[in-house]
Amino acid sequence: MKAAEFLYERPASVAEALALLADEDRDATPLAGGQSLMPMMNFRLAQPGTLVDLSALEDLRGITLSDGMVRIGAMTRYVELVRSGVVADHAPLLAMALPHIAHAAVRNRGTIGGSVALADPAAEMPALLLALDAQITVQSAEGTTTHGATDFFLGMYETALEEGELVSEIAIPVAAPTDRFAFYELARRHGDYAMAGVAVARRDNAHRVAFFSISDRALRAFDAEEVLDKGGSVIDAVAALAELPYSGDLNAAIPTKKHLSGVVLTRALEAL
Amino acid sequence: MTDTQTISVTVNGETASAAVPVRQNLVDFLRNTLGLTGSHVGCEHGVCGACTLEVDGAMVRGCLMLAVQADGAKVTTIEGYGDRAAALRAAFIDRNALQCGYCTPGMLASALEYVEGGGGADRAAIREHLSGNYCRCTGYQSIVDAVCDVIEGESS
C-alpha cells in the first residue's frame, strides 16, 4: 500500500525542526530513519499532515564518550552503532543485541532515536535502554529535558514525549569490567520482531531485567530483579514473572507469551 | 510547503531530475518515472526485501525511503551494478539461484554488500545477512551456494 498525502519538510537545523513540530496547524510528525514510520504510513496507520524529515540534522548524529556515559545522537543510524568501537567497548549489551535488530538493509537507515520515540512494544531498543538505566534527552522550543528510561516508556507507542518535542540524545552509563550483560530473543526469522525477548544487566549484584514483545510496552520485571538481587535461582526468577502485565499479539496469546518469557529469561541468565 | 518537489538523483551513473509527489517511495519513482523496473515491489512495508537497492553505497529498502529523500543521492539498481556484480550474476546462474527471479534484484543487492564488505564463506553469516530477503520459491540453499562460490573463488 501507499502512504496517504502529506506535506514534506527537511529542516536544516534542530531549531527549524522544532518550530515546524510546534506549529499546531501542521499536524507534524518527525521522520527519523523511517523504517517503522514508513510502513505505518503505507498501512495508513499513521497519516501525518506534515512529515518533518530529520535526516539533515547532523547535530543529532554521532557517538561520544563523556562524563562516564556513551552519548548517542538520536539520528545515529543502527549501522553506525554496529561499526562503533565506543559501543563495542563501553556498551556491550547494545553490541550484543544489534545483530538481532531488523536486517542489514533496515539497520542502514533505522535510527536509535526513532526507535526510542516510537516505543514499539516489540522493538529491542526500549528494553535495552531500560536494562542499561539509560537517560533520554528531549528538546523542544522551550529547552531540554532528560528522562530516565524507566519513566519514559508509558504504553503502546506511548512515551513521555510531548507535542513539539524531539528525542535528541540517548546516554548510557559506561560498562565496568565487572558488569555482566545478556540478551536473548525468540524470533521466527532472524531479524524479525521477536515473539519474546529480554535484556539483562548485572552491576554490583544489582540486576535490571527488561522484556520486550510480551506486553503493550517494554517493561522491567521488578519482582524477578529482586529475586536475582537476593541470590535467588533462575527458577525463582522465572516464577516471579507471573504477575507481569502480559498482552498477546498476532503471533502468540498471553499463555504463550508467559511461557516464552520464562524461556528467554532462563537462556539469558545462563549466558550472563 | 508543497506536496510535489523537484529532485535531482544520480541513478546508475546518470543524473535524472523530476518533479515527484512527496508521498512517492523511491522504488516507485525508479520503476514508474525512470522505467527502471529491475527493482521489484513486494510487501511495501520493509519485510520482503524485493525492493532492496543501493543508496550512497548502502543497501536500503526502496519502499521505506521516499523519492524526495533521495534528492542529491547516488542510487544504484540491478540495472547499474555492471562488473561489480559479474561474479555473483554468473554464480546465481550456475547454481540455479534465480528460479522465478522475483527476489533476485534484492538478493543480489544484499549479497553484493556482503561480498564487498569482506564477508566470509560462512553459511550461517550469509543466511543472517540475507535474512531480510524473502525468496518465494524458497531457493535459499542455492542462493547461499552462489554467494559462497563467489567468495571462495575470489579468495583462492
Side-chain angles (χ1 to χ4, degrees):
Chain A
M1 284 171 62
K2 317 290 183 190
E5 300 263 347
F6 53 84
L7 300 175
Y8 173 87
E9 300 282 354
R10 181 161 41 183
S13 70
V14 174
E16 202 184 319
L18 291 171
L20 286 164
L21 292 170
D23 181 351
E24 288 177 11
D25 294 336
R26 283 182 172 272
D27 181 25
T29 295
L31 173 69
Q35 302 302 286
S36 300
L37 181 58
M38 285 291 302
M40 291 171 81
M41 288 169 59
N42 289 349
F43 279 131
R44 310 268 169 126
L45 296 171
Q47 297 195 20
T50 300
L51 204 52
V52 180
D53 183 354
L54 309 179
S55 60
L57 306 182
E58 290 299 320
D59 290 358
L60 296 184
R61 287 178 74 172
I63 305 163
T64 54
L65 264 184
S66 71
D67 303 327
M69 306 289 264
V70 177
R71 296 181 187 278
I72 304 170
M75 282 299 291
T76 304
R77 299 189 192 280
Y78 280 112
V79 64
E80 296 169 79
L81 298 174
V82 170
R83 291 176 183 159
S84 164
V86 172
V87 169
D89 292 345
H90 301 292
L93 180 59
L94 280 196
M96 219 178 267
L98 282 164
H100 298 274
I101 299 178
H103 309 284
V106 173
R107 292 195 292 269
N108 282 342
R109 296 282 300 169
T111 64
I112 186 170
S115 182
V116 169
L118 187 69
D120 186 323
E124 290 86 351
M125 192 53 70
L128 290 165
L129 298 191
L130 287 173
L132 288 167
D133 197 13
Q135 292 175 3
I136 296 156
T137 300
V138 304
Q139 277 186 29
S140 70
E142 278 80 50
T144 297
T145 316
T146 297
H147 301 268
T150 306
D151 303 320
F152 190 77
F153 301 103
L154 305 179
M156 185 170 280
Y157 300 109
E158 192 189 342
T159 68
L161 266 181
E162 291 180 15
E163 291 288 317
E165 287 185 334
L166 268 184
V167 175
S168 57
E169 185 186 84
I170 290 93
I172 294 166
V174 165
T178 50
D179 293 347
R180 289 291 173 269
F181 303 99
F183 176 87
Y184 200 91
E185 71 171 40
L186 286 164
R188 293 193 169 181
R189 174 178 70 152
H190 180 90
D192 280 357
Y193 283 122
M195 296 170 74
V198 70
V200 181
R202 186 178 71 206
R203 293 175 152 161
D204 301 325
N205 283 324
H207 294 76
R208 293 173 77 98
V209 175
F211 283 91
F212 55 98
S213 235
I214 64 157
S215 186
D216 65 344
R217 78 204 91 137
L219 49 85
R220 285 176 62 189
F222 293 106
D223 292 346
E225 289 177 2
E226 199 181 325
V227 168
L228 294 168
D229 288 352
K230 289 178 177 165
S233 68
V234 172
I235 290 170
D236 290 343
V238 169
L241 303 178
E243 300 305 318
L244 289 175
Y246 292 95
S247 52
D249 57 29
L250 287 173
N251 287 316
I254 288 174
T256 310
K257 293 283 185 188
K258 282 187 176 179
H259 173 70
L260 295 180
S261 299
V263 172
V264 295
L265 181 60
T266 302
R267 293 185 187 175
L269 290 174
E270 283 169 355
L272 197 66
Chain B
M1 192 169 101
T2 163
D3 55 7
T4 302
Q5 289 192 15
T6 299
I7 61 168
S8 176
V9 195
T10 303
V11 182
N12 300 333
E14 289 183 29
T15 304
S17 291
V20 298
V22 296
R23 66 190 277 265
Q24 185 174 49
N25 66 40
L26 178 58
V27 68
D28 283 343
F29 168 71
L30 295 168
R31 290 176 59 86
N32 300 341
T33 306
L34 300 187
L36 295 168
T37 53
S39 300
H40 292 161
V41 179
C43 67
E44 298 198 298
H45 62 282
V47 173
C48 78
C51 63
T52 306
L53 45 86
E54 198 178 272
V55 175
D56 290 334
M59 63 162 178
V60 304
R61 297 281 200 247
C63 72
L64 297 189
M65 188 169 167
L66 299 168
V68 66
Q69 291 186 288
D71 187 23
K74 280 186 184 159
V75 175
T76 308
T77 67
I78 188 82
E79 291 93 341
Y81 288 129
D83 291 344
R84 281 172 64 194
L88 270 174
R89 263 198 303 270
F92 267 57
I93 293 165
D94 287 348
R95 289 288 190 170
N96 191 29
L98 286 101
Q99 302 202 40
C100 90
Y102 201 86
C103 73
T104 307
M107 282 287 182
L108 220 105
S110 293
L112 192 61
E113 187 178 77
Y114 182 82
V115 172
E116 291 184 343
D122 171 343
R123 298 183 74 86
I126 294 168
R127 282 179 186 284
E128 193 171 313
H129 190 83
L130 297 178
S131 64
N133 295 70
Y134 278 140
C135 168
R136 297 173 180 194
C137 316
T138 70
Y140 300 103
Q141 300 287 357
S142 46
I143 292 167
V144 175
D145 288 342
V147 177
C148 278
D149 282 356
V150 169
I151 294 164
E152 285 166 344
E154 284 184 357
S155 61
S156 63

